[in-house]
Structures are given as structure tokens and as C-alpha cells.
Amino acid sequence: MDSAQARVNSAILSVYPGWLSDKAEDRIGKGRPVWSIDKEHRIARYYDSKGKQQLVSPVGIGLVQGDKSMAGDNRTPTGTYTLSAPERGAGKTGGEMSFGPYFYRTNHKNNGSNSLSGVGLHGTGLPIFNGSNISHGCMRVDNSTIKQFYKKAPNRGAGTRIIISD
């Protein structure tokens, strides 16, 4: 297991104690699919409900490092969130070039706010920038990755947990 995976596993254990067994440290979930976003190494991994890694992609994150706290700070939050039902990227301002084929909103809220922050997981028409600090706070993966997630995930991805770690 590489050091990046060890850090991700450590972050997951802090949120979901007991998810990783001593015999299979690379297994993530027990009965629940999950995305793991490693902001430091800019890697997104999707694990099925049996803990098997299904997808991996470089991920574009917020332009500014650190934890998101307010609208417009261009940061990607850390923590555990749940993804909404998918929205079509073509229906959003900027369309598929900005959001790829699907946009999944997280339930992240900025400090002191009761409204959702708009941070999401989505594809991008500019995958060359994945793996860098490029977004206003969202997590951008390759279009092929977000399409596969849409097809493979239960409920087309709605309700999937996403764990974002530094």
C-alpha cells in the first residue's frame, strides 16, 4: 500500500471506525459505496459497497488551498458529505465544458450558513487541468470517470458518501 492510500485509509477510519480490517487494509467500505478525495495528491477514488476500488481519476480541486469556509473563497472543503441526485452538466451555466455530463452536489454548508454551498463532484471538458488547483471549490474528475460512476453506482450515485481529506 502506498503512503497516499495509507493516509486516505487513516482519514476514513477516523470517520468510519472498523471499516478497514487488518487483513485487507486497502478495503474501504462495508455495505456502502464511497468516494475518497485526496486533496494533497489530487486523486479521486470510488469504492463499491464491498470496498473494492472501481474508479480512479486525477481530480481538480479549489484554486486556494485549505478548508472551505465561505462562499467565493475558492477552496475545496474537507470532511464527509453525501452526494445529491445527478444533474445534467449541459443544463448548468457553463454547460458540459465546465461540468461534464453530470454534476453531483454535496451537502456541504459554509460556516454560519443554512444553505448548501454549491460544492460538487463533476466531470469537465478540460481534463488536462485535473490533478491541479483549478476549481472554485468543486472536485473535477475525467468525464469518462463520472459517466462510469453514473452507470455503476446504486441510485445513479445519489446518496453516495464522499470523504474529502487534506
Side-chain angles (χ1 to χ4, degrees), residues 31-79:
R32 184 168 207 164
V34 63
W35 274 99
S36 169
I37 307 296
D38 180 342
K39 288 178 16 177
E40 180 181 353
H41 296 96
R42 292 167 190 83
I43 297 289
R45 294 178 174 97
Y46 171 68
Y47 299 88
D48 66 17
S49 61
K50 295 179 182 172
K52 183 178 177 189
Q53 182 176 292
Q54 295 292 319
L55 302 169
V56 63
S57 173
V59 64
I61 60 171
L63 289 163
V64 179
Q65 293 183 357
D67 195 15
K68 185 164 199 65
S69 63
M70 57 188 269
D73 68 6
N74 294 326
R75 294 183 171 134
T76 299
T78 56

mmCIF file of all heavy atoms in Angstrom, residues 31-79:
data_model
loop_
_atom_site.group_PDB
_atom_site.id
_atom_site.type_symbol
_atom_site.label_atom_id
_atom_site.label_comp_id
_atom_site.label_asym_id
_atom_site.label_seq_id
_atom_site.Cartn_x
_atom_site.Cartn_y
_atom_site.Cartn_z
ATOM 1 N N GLY A 31 -20.626 -2.429 3.017
ATOM 2 C CA GLY A 31 -22.023 -2.245 2.668
ATOM 3 C C GLY A 31 -22.401 -0.889 2.121
ATOM 4 O O GLY A 31 -23.566 -0.643 1.855
ATOM 5 N N ARG A 32 -21.438 0.004 1.945
ATOM 6 C CA ARG A 32 -21.777 1.348 1.487
ATOM 7 C C ARG A 32 -20.712 1.869 0.525
ATOM 8 O O ARG A 32 -19.542 1.935 0.876
ATOM 9 C CB ARG A 32 -21.855 2.258 2.694
ATOM 10 C CG ARG A 32 -22.280 3.631 2.381
ATOM 11 C CD ARG A 32 -22.619 4.377 3.640
ATOM 12 N NE ARG A 32 -23.592 5.373 3.237
ATOM 13 C CZ ARG A 32 -24.353 6.024 4.036
ATOM 14 N NH1 ARG A 32 -24.297 5.810 5.304
ATOM 15 N NH2 ARG A 32 -25.202 6.901 3.575
ATOM 16 N N PRO A 33 -21.101 2.279 -0.693
ATOM 17 C CA PRO A 33 -20.119 2.851 -1.623
ATOM 18 C C PRO A 33 -19.642 4.217 -1.136
ATOM 19 O O PRO A 33 -20.360 4.916 -0.422
ATOM 20 C CB PRO A 33 -20.874 2.960 -2.935
ATOM 21 C CG PRO A 33 -22.308 3.021 -2.551
ATOM 22 C CD PRO A 33 -22.446 2.253 -1.263
ATOM 23 N N VAL A 34 -18.428 4.577 -1.518
ATOM 24 C CA VAL A 34 -17.862 5.840 -1.044
ATOM 25 C C VAL A 34 -16.828 6.366 -2.039
ATOM 26 O O VAL A 34 -16.109 5.595 -2.659
ATOM 27 C CB VAL A 34 -17.229 5.667 0.363
ATOM 28 C CG1 VAL A 34 -16.060 4.704 0.344
ATOM 29 C CG2 VAL A 34 -16.838 6.991 0.974
ATOM 30 N N TRP A 35 -16.798 7.680 -2.190
ATOM 31 C CA TRP A 35 -15.719 8.363 -2.899
ATOM 32 C C TRP A 35 -14.698 8.788 -1.866
ATOM 33 O O TRP A 35 -15.058 9.234 -0.769
ATOM 34 C CB TRP A 35 -16.220 9.628 -3.594
ATOM 35 C CG TRP A 35 -16.781 9.427 -4.951
ATOM 36 C CD1 TRP A 35 -18.112 9.328 -5.271
ATOM 37 C CD2 TRP A 35 -16.054 9.323 -6.178
ATOM 38 N NE1 TRP A 35 -18.251 9.167 -6.629
ATOM 39 C CE2 TRP A 35 -17.001 9.157 -7.206
ATOM 40 C CE3 TRP A 35 -14.711 9.345 -6.507
ATOM 41 C CZ2 TRP A 35 -16.633 9.027 -8.542
ATOM 42 C CZ3 TRP A 35 -14.333 9.210 -7.836
ATOM 43 C CH2 TRP A 35 -15.292 9.051 -8.838
ATOM 44 N N SER A 36 -13.432 8.704 -2.213
ATOM 45 C CA SER A 36 -12.353 9.224 -1.382
ATOM 46 C C SER A 36 -11.605 10.252 -2.217
ATOM 47 O O SER A 36 -11.100 9.932 -3.288
ATOM 48 C CB SER A 36 -11.412 8.080 -0.976
ATOM 49 O OG SER A 36 -10.248 8.605 -0.405
ATOM 50 N N ILE A 37 -11.566 11.479 -1.731
ATOM 51 C CA ILE A 37 -10.863 12.559 -2.426
ATOM 52 C C ILE A 37 -9.637 12.930 -1.593
ATOM 53 O O ILE A 37 -9.770 13.364 -0.447
ATOM 54 C CB ILE A 37 -11.762 13.811 -2.600
ATOM 55 C CG1 ILE A 37 -13.102 13.455 -3.254
ATOM 56 C CG2 ILE A 37 -11.007 14.896 -3.363
ATOM 57 C CD1 ILE A 37 -13.020 12.935 -4.670
ATOM 58 N N ASP A 38 -8.466 12.740 -2.162
ATOM 59 C CA ASP A 38 -7.207 13.078 -1.510
ATOM 60 C C ASP A 38 -6.740 14.408 -2.096
ATOM 61 O O ASP A 38 -6.228 14.455 -3.214
ATOM 62 C CB ASP A 38 -6.187 11.969 -1.776
ATOM 63 C CG ASP A 38 -4.835 12.217 -1.130
ATOM 64 O OD1 ASP A 38 -4.533 13.370 -0.766
ATOM 65 O OD2 ASP A 38 -4.060 11.253 -1.021
ATOM 66 N N LYS A 39 -6.966 15.502 -1.348
ATOM 67 C CA LYS A 39 -6.624 16.832 -1.855
ATOM 68 C C LYS A 39 -5.117 17.023 -2.022
ATOM 69 O O LYS A 39 -4.691 17.693 -2.958
ATOM 70 C CB LYS A 39 -7.190 17.917 -0.927
ATOM 71 C CG LYS A 39 -8.693 18.040 -1.024
ATOM 72 C CD LYS A 39 -9.358 19.053 -0.121
ATOM 73 C CE LYS A 39 -8.574 20.108 0.532
ATOM 74 N NZ LYS A 39 -9.362 21.064 1.316
ATOM 75 N N GLU A 40 -4.329 16.462 -1.132
ATOM 76 C CA GLU A 40 -2.880 16.658 -1.226
ATOM 77 C C GLU A 40 -2.314 16.071 -2.514
ATOM 78 O O GLU A 40 -1.526 16.700 -3.207
ATOM 79 C CB GLU A 40 -2.163 16.036 -0.032
ATOM 80 C CG GLU A 40 -0.659 16.221 -0.109
ATOM 81 C CD GLU A 40 0.091 15.600 1.052
ATOM 82 O OE1 GLU A 40 -0.541 15.126 2.009
ATOM 83 O OE2 GLU A 40 1.330 15.591 0.981
ATOM 84 N N HIS A 41 -2.727 14.845 -2.834
ATOM 85 C CA HIS A 41 -2.206 14.173 -4.027
ATOM 86 C C HIS A 41 -3.117 14.327 -5.237
ATOM 87 O O HIS A 41 -2.813 13.825 -6.311
ATOM 88 C CB HIS A 41 -1.950 12.695 -3.718
ATOM 89 C CG HIS A 41 -0.883 12.520 -2.676
ATOM 90 N ND1 HIS A 41 -1.188 12.341 -1.350
ATOM 91 C CD2 HIS A 41 0.456 12.554 -2.783
ATOM 92 C CE1 HIS A 41 -0.057 12.237 -0.670
ATOM 93 N NE2 HIS A 41 0.955 12.378 -1.500
ATOM 94 N N ARG A 42 -4.265 14.970 -5.042
ATOM 95 C CA ARG A 42 -5.233 15.249 -6.106
ATOM 96 C C ARG A 42 -5.650 13.984 -6.850
ATOM 97 O O ARG A 42 -5.567 13.896 -8.069
ATOM 98 C CB ARG A 42 -4.694 16.329 -7.036
ATOM 99 C CG ARG A 42 -4.622 17.678 -6.342
ATOM 100 C CD ARG A 42 -3.827 18.693 -7.108
ATOM 101 N NE ARG A 42 -3.596 19.889 -6.311
ATOM 102 C CZ ARG A 42 -2.618 20.016 -5.405
ATOM 103 N NH1 ARG A 42 -1.819 19.017 -5.149
ATOM 104 N NH2 ARG A 42 -2.469 21.133 -4.745
ATOM 105 N N ILE A 43 -6.110 13.016 -6.059
ATOM 106 C CA ILE A 43 -6.583 11.738 -6.590
ATOM 107 C C ILE A 43 -7.987 11.484 -6.045
ATOM 108 O O ILE A 43 -8.238 11.651 -4.852
ATOM 109 C CB ILE A 43 -5.666 10.569 -6.164
ATOM 110 C CG1 ILE A 43 -4.266 10.744 -6.735
ATOM 111 C CG2 ILE A 43 -6.244 9.222 -6.579
ATOM 112 C CD1 ILE A 43 -4.160 10.550 -8.220
ATOM 113 N N ALA A 44 -8.895 11.057 -6.929
ATOM 114 C CA ALA A 44 -10.250 10.659 -6.539
ATOM 115 C C ALA A 44 -10.372 9.160 -6.766
ATOM 116 O O ALA A 44 -9.990 8.652 -7.826
ATOM 117 C CB ALA A 44 -11.282 11.404 -7.373
ATOM 118 N N ARG A 45 -10.897 8.469 -5.763
ATOM 119 C CA ARG A 45 -11.121 7.025 -5.880
ATOM 120 C C ARG A 45 -12.555 6.717 -5.474
ATOM 121 O O ARG A 45 -13.030 7.238 -4.471
ATOM 122 C CB ARG A 45 -10.164 6.256 -4.975
ATOM 123 C CG ARG A 45 -8.710 6.365 -5.361
ATOM 124 C CD ARG A 45 -7.839 5.591 -4.351
ATOM 125 N NE ARG A 45 -6.464 5.567 -4.760
ATOM 126 C CZ ARG A 45 -5.533 6.405 -4.318
ATOM 127 N NH1 ARG A 45 -5.855 7.348 -3.449
ATOM 128 N NH2 ARG A 45 -4.293 6.304 -4.731
ATOM 129 N N TYR A 46 -13.188 5.838 -6.249
ATOM 130 C CA TYR A 46 -14.544 5.393 -5.907
ATOM 131 C C TYR A 46 -14.484 3.912 -5.564
ATOM 132 O O TYR A 46 -13.928 3.111 -6.322
ATOM 133 C CB TYR A 46 -15.510 5.619 -7.078
ATOM 134 C CG TYR A 46 -16.857 4.980 -6.861
ATOM 135 C CD1 TYR A 46 -17.715 5.457 -5.873
ATOM 136 C CD2 TYR A 46 -17.260 3.885 -7.614
ATOM 137 C CE1 TYR A 46 -18.948 4.864 -5.649
ATOM 138 C CE2 TYR A 46 -18.494 3.288 -7.399
ATOM 139 C CZ TYR A 46 -19.334 3.780 -6.415
ATOM 140 O OH TYR A 46 -20.539 3.184 -6.196
ATOM 141 N N TYR A 47 -15.049 3.564 -4.397
ATOM 142 C CA TYR A 47 -15.093 2.187 -3.917
ATOM 143 C C TYR A 47 -16.536 1.715 -3.874
ATOM 144 O O TYR A 47 -17.420 2.459 -3.429
ATOM 145 C CB TYR A 47 -14.496 2.097 -2.512
ATOM 146 C CG TYR A 47 -13.053 2.512 -2.449
ATOM 147 C CD1 TYR A 47 -12.699 3.839 -2.239
ATOM 148 C CD2 TYR A 47 -12.031 1.577 -2.595
ATOM 149 C CE1 TYR A 47 -11.369 4.226 -2.168
ATOM 150 C CE2 TYR A 47 -10.696 1.959 -2.529
ATOM 151 C CZ TYR A 47 -10.377 3.282 -2.315
ATOM 152 O OH TYR A 47 -9.061 3.660 -2.260
ATOM 153 N N ASP A 48 -16.772 0.481 -4.299
ATOM 154 C CA ASP A 48 -18.120 -0.068 -4.226
ATOM 155 C C ASP A 48 -18.448 -0.470 -2.792
ATOM 156 O O ASP A 48 -17.624 -0.311 -1.877
ATOM 157 C CB ASP A 48 -18.306 -1.229 -5.221
ATOM 158 C CG ASP A 48 -17.467 -2.456 -4.903
ATOM 159 O OD1 ASP A 48 -16.958 -2.603 -3.761
ATOM 160 O OD2 ASP A 48 -17.333 -3.300 -5.804
ATOM 161 N N SER A 49 -19.636 -0.997 -2.574
ATOM 162 C CA SER A 49 -20.094 -1.325 -1.219
ATOM 163 C C SER A 49 -19.306 -2.466 -0.585
ATOM 164 O O SER A 49 -19.387 -2.675 0.621
ATOM 165 C CB SER A 49 -21.582 -1.660 -1.235
ATOM 166 O OG SER A 49 -21.809 -2.790 -2.056
ATOM 167 N N LYS A 50 -18.528 -3.193 -1.377
ATOM 168 C CA LYS A 50 -17.688 -4.271 -0.834
ATOM 169 C C LYS A 50 -16.266 -3.791 -0.567
ATOM 170 O O LYS A 50 -15.409 -4.562 -0.181
ATOM 171 C CB LYS A 50 -17.672 -5.448 -1.797
ATOM 172 C CG LYS A 50 -19.038 -6.094 -1.930
ATOM 173 C CD LYS A 50 -19.018 -7.232 -2.901
ATOM 174 C CE LYS A 50 -20.420 -7.798 -3.009
ATOM 175 N NZ LYS A 50 -20.507 -8.792 -4.074
ATOM 176 N N GLY A 51 -16.017 -2.502 -0.817
ATOM 177 C CA GLY A 51 -14.708 -1.931 -0.560
ATOM 178 C C GLY A 51 -13.723 -2.094 -1.696
ATOM 179 O O GLY A 51 -12.555 -1.786 -1.553
ATOM 180 N N LYS A 52 -14.203 -2.537 -2.855
ATOM 181 C CA LYS A 52 -13.319 -2.722 -3.996
ATOM 182 C C LYS A 52 -13.233 -1.420 -4.794
ATOM 183 O O LYS A 52 -14.252 -0.839 -5.160
ATOM 184 C CB LYS A 52 -13.840 -3.836 -4.891
ATOM 185 C CG LYS A 52 -12.927 -4.130 -6.062
ATOM 186 C CD LYS A 52 -13.447 -5.282 -6.892
ATOM 187 C CE LYS A 52 -12.522 -5.475 -8.086
ATOM 188 N NZ LYS A 52 -13.075 -6.421 -9.042
ATOM 189 N N GLN A 53 -11.997 -0.982 -5.063
ATOM 190 C CA GLN A 53 -11.820 0.236 -5.854
ATOM 191 C C GLN A 53 -12.326 -0.004 -7.262
ATOM 192 O O GLN A 53 -11.899 -0.913 -7.939
ATOM 193 C CB GLN A 53 -10.346 0.643 -5.893
ATOM 194 C CG GLN A 53 -10.119 1.931 -6.659
ATOM 195 C CD GLN A 53 -8.670 2.366 -6.612
ATOM 196 O OE1 GLN A 53 -8.181 2.739 -5.570
ATOM 197 N NE2 GLN A 53 -8.008 2.303 -7.749
ATOM 198 N N GLN A 54 -13.256 0.844 -7.700
ATOM 199 C CA GLN A 54 -13.852 0.717 -9.029
ATOM 200 C C GLN A 54 -13.337 1.770 -9.999
ATOM 201 O O GLN A 54 -13.210 1.498 -11.187
ATOM 202 C CB GLN A 54 -15.377 0.843 -8.927
ATOM 203 C CG GLN A 54 -16.031 -0.266 -8.147
ATOM 204 C CD GLN A 54 -15.931 -1.599 -8.865
ATOM 205 O OE1 GLN A 54 -16.094 -1.683 -10.081
ATOM 206 N NE2 GLN A 54 -15.628 -2.641 -8.120
ATOM 207 N N LEU A 55 -13.084 2.971 -9.502
ATOM 208 C CA LEU A 55 -12.679 4.080 -10.363
ATOM 209 C C LEU A 55 -11.565 4.875 -9.693
ATOM 210 O O LEU A 55 -11.540 5.000 -8.466
ATOM 211 C CB LEU A 55 -13.862 5.022 -10.623
ATOM 212 C CG LEU A 55 -15.109 4.426 -11.254
ATOM 213 C CD1 LEU A 55 -16.270 5.408 -11.186
ATOM 214 C CD2 LEU A 55 -14.828 4.021 -12.688
ATOM 215 N N VAL A 56 -10.683 5.413 -10.496
ATOM 216 C CA VAL A 56 -9.648 6.314 -10.001
ATOM 217 C C VAL A 56 -9.390 7.368 -11.073
ATOM 218 O O VAL A 56 -9.436 7.063 -12.264
ATOM 219 C CB VAL A 56 -8.351 5.554 -9.611
ATOM 220 C CG1 VAL A 56 -7.723 4.873 -10.803
ATOM 221 C CG2 VAL A 56 -7.372 6.467 -8.916
ATOM 222 N N SER A 57 -9.197 8.600 -10.641
ATOM 223 C CA SER A 57 -9.003 9.695 -11.582
ATOM 224 C C SER A 57 -8.203 10.798 -10.914
ATOM 225 O O SER A 57 -8.362 11.035 -9.704
ATOM 226 C CB SER A 57 -10.367 10.264 -12.002
ATOM 227 O OG SER A 57 -10.232 11.427 -12.797
ATOM 228 N N PRO A 58 -7.369 11.503 -11.671
ATOM 229 C CA PRO A 58 -6.832 12.748 -11.116
ATOM 230 C C PRO A 58 -8.014 13.679 -10.861
ATOM 231 O O PRO A 58 -9.024 13.613 -11.565
ATOM 232 C CB PRO A 58 -5.924 13.284 -12.210
ATOM 233 C CG PRO A 58 -6.148 12.455 -13.414
ATOM 234 C CD PRO A 58 -6.964 11.269 -13.040
ATOM 235 N N VAL A 59 -7.901 14.509 -9.846
ATOM 236 C CA VAL A 59 -9.012 15.384 -9.500
ATOM 237 C C VAL A 59 -8.531 16.829 -9.429
ATOM 238 O O VAL A 59 -7.476 17.117 -8.865
ATOM 239 C CB VAL A 59 -9.691 14.942 -8.176
ATOM 240 C CG1 VAL A 59 -8.759 15.043 -6.991
ATOM 241 C CG2 VAL A 59 -10.974 15.708 -7.906
ATOM 242 N N GLY A 60 -9.291 17.713 -10.048
ATOM 243 C CA GLY A 60 -9.049 19.147 -9.911
ATOM 244 C C GLY A 60 -9.803 19.636 -8.693
ATOM 245 O O GLY A 60 -10.949 19.257 -8.470
ATOM 246 N N ILE A 61 -9.137 20.448 -7.868
ATOM 247 C CA ILE A 61 -9.761 20.960 -6.647
ATOM 248 C C ILE A 61 -9.669 22.480 -6.632
ATOM 249 O O ILE A 61 -9.218 23.090 -7.589
ATOM 250 C CB ILE A 61 -9.113 20.341 -5.388
ATOM 251 C CG1 ILE A 61 -7.616 20.665 -5.333
ATOM 252 C CG2 ILE A 61 -9.360 18.840 -5.339
ATOM 253 C CD1 ILE A 61 -6.934 20.280 -4.030
ATOM 254 N N GLY A 62 -10.054 23.092 -5.523
ATOM 255 C CA GLY A 62 -10.110 24.545 -5.407
ATOM 256 C C GLY A 62 -8.797 25.253 -5.694
ATOM 257 O O GLY A 62 -7.714 24.746 -5.395
ATOM 258 N N LEU A 63 -8.915 26.443 -6.267
ATOM 259 C CA LEU A 63 -7.755 27.271 -6.599
ATOM 260 C C LEU A 63 -6.897 27.595 -5.381
ATOM 261 O O LEU A 63 -5.692 27.749 -5.477
ATOM 262 C CB LEU A 63 -8.221 28.595 -7.229
ATOM 263 C CG LEU A 63 -8.804 28.508 -8.629
ATOM 264 C CD1 LEU A 63 -9.581 29.776 -8.961
ATOM 265 C CD2 LEU A 63 -7.706 28.279 -9.641
ATOM 266 N N VAL A 64 -7.545 27.719 -4.216
ATOM 267 C CA VAL A 64 -6.857 28.093 -2.984
ATOM 268 C C VAL A 64 -6.815 26.884 -2.055
ATOM 269 O O VAL A 64 -7.822 26.197 -1.869
ATOM 270 C CB VAL A 64 -7.590 29.273 -2.295
ATOM 271 C CG1 VAL A 64 -6.910 29.664 -0.992
ATOM 272 C CG2 VAL A 64 -7.685 30.468 -3.241
ATOM 273 N N GLN A 65 -5.648 26.622 -1.475
ATOM 274 C CA GLN A 65 -5.525 25.512 -0.539
ATOM 275 C C GLN A 65 -6.206 25.856 0.770
ATOM 276 O O GLN A 65 -6.411 27.014 1.098
ATOM 277 C CB GLN A 65 -4.054 25.177 -0.321
ATOM 278 C CG GLN A 65 -3.395 24.625 -1.560
ATOM 279 C CD GLN A 65 -1.949 24.228 -1.304
ATOM 280 O OE1 GLN A 65 -1.410 24.413 -0.231
ATOM 281 N NE2 GLN A 65 -1.330 23.667 -2.319
ATOM 282 N N GLY A 66 -6.556 24.814 1.542
ATOM 283 C CA GLY A 66 -7.204 24.998 2.832
ATOM 284 C C GLY A 66 -8.650 24.551 2.778
ATOM 285 O O GLY A 66 -9.158 24.132 1.740
ATOM 286 N N ASP A 67 -9.311 24.637 3.913
ATOM 287 C CA ASP A 67 -10.687 24.169 4.057
ATOM 288 C C ASP A 67 -11.670 25.285 3.723
ATOM 289 O O ASP A 67 -11.502 26.416 4.163
ATOM 290 C CB ASP A 67 -10.905 23.676 5.481
ATOM 291 C CG ASP A 67 -12.154 22.852 5.650
ATOM 292 O OD1 ASP A 67 -12.732 22.405 4.630
ATOM 293 O OD2 ASP A 67 -12.568 22.631 6.800
ATOM 294 N N LYS A 68 -12.688 24.950 2.955
ATOM 295 C CA LYS A 68 -13.711 25.929 2.558
ATOM 296 C C LYS A 68 -14.467 26.425 3.789
ATOM 297 O O LYS A 68 -14.866 25.648 4.643
ATOM 298 C CB LYS A 68 -14.690 25.300 1.578
ATOM 299 C CG LYS A 68 -15.696 26.297 1.029
ATOM 300 C CD LYS A 68 -16.366 25.737 -0.203
ATOM 301 C CE LYS A 68 -17.002 26.805 -1.020
ATOM 302 N NZ LYS A 68 -16.073 27.760 -1.603
ATOM 303 N N SER A 69 -14.667 27.740 3.871
ATOM 304 C CA SER A 69 -15.418 28.287 4.994
ATOM 305 C C SER A 69 -16.474 29.304 4.578
ATOM 306 O O SER A 69 -17.407 29.549 5.323
ATOM 307 C CB SER A 69 -14.471 28.933 6.009
ATOM 308 O OG SER A 69 -13.792 30.016 5.414
ATOM 309 N N MET A 70 -16.302 29.890 3.380
ATOM 310 C CA MET A 70 -17.278 30.890 2.954
ATOM 311 C C MET A 70 -17.412 30.880 1.434
ATOM 312 O O MET A 70 -16.502 30.462 0.726
ATOM 313 C CB MET A 70 -16.881 32.278 3.439
ATOM 314 C CG MET A 70 -15.501 32.711 2.987
ATOM 315 S SD MET A 70 -14.957 34.227 3.756
ATOM 316 C CE MET A 70 -15.542 35.412 2.580
ATOM 317 N N ALA A 71 -18.543 31.349 0.974
ATOM 318 C CA ALA A 71 -18.782 31.430 -0.475
ATOM 319 C C ALA A 71 -17.719 32.295 -1.128
ATOM 320 O O ALA A 71 -17.326 33.328 -0.581
ATOM 321 C CB ALA A 71 -20.162 32.004 -0.739
ATOM 322 N N GLY A 72 -17.230 31.852 -2.269
ATOM 323 C CA GLY A 72 -16.269 32.630 -3.035
ATOM 324 C C GLY A 72 -14.826 32.497 -2.603
ATOM 325 O O GLY A 72 -13.958 33.164 -3.157
ATOM 326 N N ASP A 73 -14.535 31.634 -1.606
ATOM 327 C CA ASP A 73 -13.144 31.519 -1.161
ATOM 328 C C ASP A 73 -12.307 30.581 -2.033
ATOM 329 O O ASP A 73 -11.104 30.438 -1.830
ATOM 330 C CB ASP A 73 -13.051 31.138 0.315
ATOM 331 C CG ASP A 73 -13.535 29.733 0.647
ATOM 332 O OD1 ASP A 73 -13.864 28.956 -0.279
ATOM 333 O OD2 ASP A 73 -13.600 29.409 1.848
ATOM 334 N N ASN A 74 -12.937 29.945 -3.025
ATOM 335 C CA ASN A 74 -12.243 29.079 -3.991
ATOM 336 C C ASN A 74 -11.500 27.916 -3.336
ATOM 337 O O ASN A 74 -10.462 27.486 -3.820
ATOM 338 C CB ASN A 74 -11.285 29.885 -4.872
ATOM 339 C CG ASN A 74 -12.020 30.842 -5.777
ATOM 340 O OD1 ASN A 74 -13.118 30.559 -6.240
ATOM 341 N ND2 ASN A 74 -11.430 31.992 -6.025
ATOM 342 N N ARG A 75 -12.037 27.412 -2.234
ATOM 343 C CA ARG A 75 -11.443 26.276 -1.526
ATOM 344 C C ARG A 75 -12.363 25.068 -1.608
ATOM 345 O O ARG A 75 -13.584 25.210 -1.679
ATOM 346 C CB ARG A 75 -11.198 26.632 -0.069
ATOM 347 C CG ARG A 75 -10.156 27.698 0.104
ATOM 348 C CD ARG A 75 -9.894 27.967 1.563
ATOM 349 N NE ARG A 75 -8.741 28.849 1.677
ATOM 350 C CZ ARG A 75 -8.704 29.908 2.463
ATOM 351 N NH1 ARG A 75 -9.730 30.207 3.216
ATOM 352 N NH2 ARG A 75 -7.624 30.658 2.498
ATOM 353 N N THR A 76 -11.753 23.900 -1.573
ATOM 354 C CA THR A 76 -12.495 22.642 -1.503
ATOM 355 C C THR A 76 -12.595 22.246 -0.036
ATOM 356 O O THR A 76 -11.580 22.245 0.670
ATOM 357 C CB THR A 76 -11.775 21.549 -2.311
ATOM 358 O OG1 THR A 76 -11.697 21.960 -3.679
ATOM 359 C CG2 THR A 76 -12.510 20.223 -2.229
ATOM 360 N N PRO A 77 -13.788 21.898 0.452
ATOM 361 C CA PRO A 77 -13.924 21.545 1.870
ATOM 362 C C PRO A 77 -13.275 20.202 2.186
ATOM 363 O O PRO A 77 -12.996 19.414 1.288
ATOM 364 C CB PRO A 77 -15.441 21.467 2.067
ATOM 365 C CG PRO A 77 -15.968 21.091 0.724
ATOM 366 C CD PRO A 77 -15.059 21.770 -0.270
ATOM 367 N N THR A 78 -13.039 19.963 3.453
ATOM 368 C CA THR A 78 -12.668 18.641 3.931
ATOM 369 C C THR A 78 -13.837 18.133 4.765
ATOM 370 O O THR A 78 -14.665 18.916 5.242
ATOM 371 C CB THR A 78 -11.385 18.669 4.786
ATOM 372 O OG1 THR A 78 -11.572 19.577 5.867
ATOM 373 C CG2 THR A 78 -10.188 19.084 3.955
ATOM 374 N N GLY A 79 -13.925 16.831 4.926
ATOM 375 C CA GLY A 79 -14.998 16.249 5.718
ATOM 376 C C GLY A 79 -15.738 15.180 4.944
ATOM 377 O O GLY A 79 -15.320 14.774 3.855
#
